[in-house]
Amino acid sequence: MSWNIKKFDELTNRELYNLLKERTLVFVVEQNCPYLEVDGKDPFSYHLFKEDDGEIIAYLRILPAGVSYQEVSIGRVFVKKEFRGQGLAEELIKKGLEFIQKELNETTVKIQAQDYLRKFYGSFGFQAISETYLEDNIPHVDMLLQK
């Protein structure tokens, strides 16, 4: 199993297909949330993922400053259901934040987190900057990390 981080144009057709398939499975099907998963931001983003035998099992995208927010952002974070509970989510976030700090030289990260993950993101230093609100009928909170 290896970690990869690629710009959109560096993704192979198979990698792109697999990451979109897995994102749709998690965010549309599993969460029963019909919305436009392919939102036009992927071509501007970095894609961090872990593969196991050609299958994407953990993923997040890093959106440079100005794509979603004034600050750099992390989104579409998931670990495939059968791989949850193994510490991959923590490893994934750590690798994403390390890339943001070392490669993009950014010190502030803004996220839109599902509210039940507030404590998880808080363990990395993110702090809530909004009240809880509904986004696609799911409670969310805006959070900010400043290093």
Side-chain angles (χ1 to χ4, degrees):
M1 292 192 292
S2 60
W3 287 101
N4 300 285
I5 189 155
K6 296 184 175 186
K7 291 181 179 178
F8 183 80
D9 291 337
E10 297 170 334
L11 294 167
T12 67
N13 287 339
R14 186 169 305 281
E15 288 168 337
L16 179 60
Y17 176 85
N18 286 339
L19 75 85
L20 292 174
K21 179 184 80 157
E22 295 301 334
R23 283 183 5 196
T24 303
L25 181 63
V26 171
F27 299 114
V28 178
V29 177
E30 185 180 316
Q31 295 182 356
N32 192 25
C33 183
Y35 77 107
L36 186 59
E37 188 355 84
V38 180
D39 60 3
K41 296 179 183 180
D42 289 313
F44 307 103
S45 302
Y46 295 90
H47 303 272
L48 172 61
F49 58 98
K50 188 169 197 148
E51 290 183 298
D52 181 27
D53 198 26
E55 178 182 13
I56 294 178
I57 62 169
Y59 170 87
L60 63 72
R61 73 176 177 184
I62 298 168
L63 300 105
V67 176
S68 282
Y69 304 109
Q70 181 179 346
E71 304 84 0
V72 68
S73 182
I74 292 174
R76 300 294 200 267
V77 180
F78 77 81
V79 173
K80 195 167 179 168
K81 195 177 240 179
E82 52 270 34
F83 291 90
R84 294 178 189 160
Q86 301 176 22
L88 286 173
E90 291 85 357
E91 191 177 350
L92 176 64
I93 297 297
K94 285 179 186 174
K95 289 199 174 290
L97 292 175
E98 181 179 297
F99 178 83
I100 288 168
Q101 292 163 358
K102 291 184 178 176
E103 300 299 323
L104 301 182
N105 297 313
E106 295 282 353
T107 57
T108 304
V109 182
K110 184 175 182 180
I111 62 173
Q112 182 185 48
Q114 291 186 15
D115 194 50
Y116 82 95
L117 292 169
R118 183 189 295 241
K119 186 176 179 183
F120 171 75
Y121 287 113
S123 72
F124 297 97
F126 283 93
Q127 296 184 358
I129 57 168
S130 76
E131 297 296 322
T132 301
Y133 58 91
L134 287 179
E135 177 79 21
D136 297 317
N137 242 6
I138 298 172
H140 282 74
V141 62
D142 292 341
M143 301 184 82
L144 197 66
L145 172 69
Q146 294 181 300
K147 290 276 182 177

